[in-house]
Amino acid sequence: MNRYLKLVHLEVHRSRYMLFVLMALTVIIQLIGLVKTTRLRVNELSEIAGLQDSAHLKFSFADVIGASQFWFGLPILISGTVLGLYVFFIWYRDWIGRDKFAYRMFILPTARRNVYLAKASAIFIFVFAMVAFQLLLLLAERELFNQLVPSEYKMSSVFAEAVASNQLFDDILLPLDFMQFLVYYGLGILAVFAIFTAVLLERSYRWYGIVYAILYLAACGGAIGFAASLSYYGYLYPREMAVIRIGIYLVVMGVTLVLGFRLVSKKITV
């Protein structure tokens, strides 16, 4: 366990600047959108106040988040794309260059599966770090909103309303339904492991490995797609569909991990 944790620390340390850049980019873009949208709303209400009673024209932090879909969604899409590409890069960078880092990784006095798990753990840490950072940033942005908006124009709203007002927050990043959160992030974890195993297939069998990797990902996608299509079978009860889906996901996860561990331990070369 100690060696596994050291490998996780190594992977996180090697890519920490990527995470810091994504966080900084998220702060800059979202603050620009928040300040721009808030000031525009305040100016509009100030103009209306001179012509008519504006007491009923108050707006909330959730309204600003909802009106700033682009500004709040853009850094999420950028971060998701970068982390998605990093799932491949975290492996292939070890084979890049004359002094192959993969050689040193695989001769360490620890089970090779720990290298596999450490790389996956680093990606999960980055993902959940970004999610936690977004939650904290939203709290800070709400305080900034309270400072920017005069009390006569400000309407209170709960934090959950702010999350639900942005489509990417509500549907993908921060779903308020706990089961939906587990399904989304569980499928994300499964996708990371499936891609890892596909990369190891390519590294183990080279040109044939590309074909094996594509076929393997297609098989995983087909199994997950079949699980998702169970809702179209009207003769199944919701509880039965949930059990079958979970069973399919666990089988795919188990096969993926067993195959990945075997490849990294027995087949992979440096």
Side-chain angles (χ1 to χ4, degrees):
M1 177 61 70
N2 186 47
R3 289 172 178 172
Y4 159 73
L5 293 176
K6 287 182 178 179
L7 286 171
V8 174
H9 176 267
L10 173 64
E11 292 292 346
V12 172
H13 184 76
R14 293 173 71 193
S15 302
R16 65 192 184 281
Y17 294 118
M18 177 193 70
L19 183 65
F20 296 155
V21 169
L22 291 177
M23 288 180 173
L25 190 65
T26 300
V27 171
I28 293 170
I29 295 177
Q30 290 190 1
L31 287 184
I32 290 174
L34 176 69
V35 173
K36 181 178 179 181
T37 304
T38 301
R39 286 182 174 175
L40 181 63
R41 287 288 185 91
V42 170
N43 292 336
E44 288 176 350
L45 291 183
S46 296
E47 293 177 0
I48 294 174
L51 301 175
Q52 62 182 26
D53 181 19
S54 61
H56 63 288
L57 298 178
K58 296 181 178 181
F59 65 101
S60 67
F61 177 63
D63 294 329
V64 173
I65 299 296
S68 308
Q69 298 283 333
F70 171 79
W71 295 101
F72 280 80
L74 179 61
I76 295 173
L77 293 176
I78 293 174
S79 299
T81 301
V82 171
L83 291 174
L85 293 174
Y86 188 70
V87 175
F88 296 91
F89 181 72
I90 197 172
W91 281 104
Y92 283 110
R93 69 176 176 184
D94 291 344
W95 279 277
I96 296 173
R98 297 168 60 183
D99 184 18
K100 295 179 179 178
F101 191 80
Y103 180 78
R104 285 181 283 172
M105 291 282 287
F106 289 130
I107 64 173
L108 290 173
T110 184
R112 283 188 170 188
R113 65 176 177 271
N114 286 336
V115 176
Y116 181 102
L117 292 173
K119 289 181 180 294
S121 299
I123 292 175
F124 301 150
I125 288 172
F126 292 151
V127 171
F128 287 110
M130 287 299 299
V131 173
F133 178 75
Q134 180 63 79
L135 284 171
L136 293 175
L137 182 58
L138 281 173
L139 293 174
E141 288 166 344
R142 184 171 64 175
E143 293 303 314
L144 177 60
F145 168 84
N146 291 331
Q147 297 296 322
L148 291 174
V149 181
S151 58
E152 63 268 23
Y153 300 143
K154 185 165 49 183
M155 183 172 61
S156 63
S157 63
V158 297
F159 187 74
E161 291 177 344
V163 173
S165 63
N166 185 282
Q167 188 172 357
L168 280 177
F169 288 166
D170 190 38
D171 293 344
I172 300 176
L173 187 67
L174 300 168
L176 298 177
D177 183 83
F178 182 68
M179 288 303 300
Q180 189 179 12
F181 178 87
L182 289 180
V183 170
Y184 283 174
Y185 283 89
L187 288 176
I189 291 171
L190 177 55
V192 169
F193 283 127
I195 292 172
F196 273 21
T197 299
V199 170
L200 292 175
L201 282 168
E202 185 276 326
R203 289 282 89 188
S204 299
Y205 298 101
R206 303 299 175 175
W207 290 108
Y208 289 110
I210 297 176
V211 178
Y212 297 156
I214 293 173
L215 292 176
Y216 183 75
L217 290 177
C220 291
I224 294 172
F226 172 74
S229 69
L230 289 175
S231 57
Y232 294 102
Y233 297 91
Y235 54 85
L236 292 174
Y237 291 103
R239 186 180 296 274
E240 293 174 334
M241 287 190 290
V243 171
I244 294 173
R245 282 174 178 165
I246 293 173
I248 292 173
Y249 297 154
L250 290 177
V251 168
V252 175
M253 178 71 81
V255 172
T256 296
L257 289 176
V258 169
L259 179 57
F261 290 165
R262 178 173 178 79
L263 289 170
V264 78
S265 299
K266 305 295 184 180
K267 295 291 186 180
I268 199 72
T269 59
V270 293

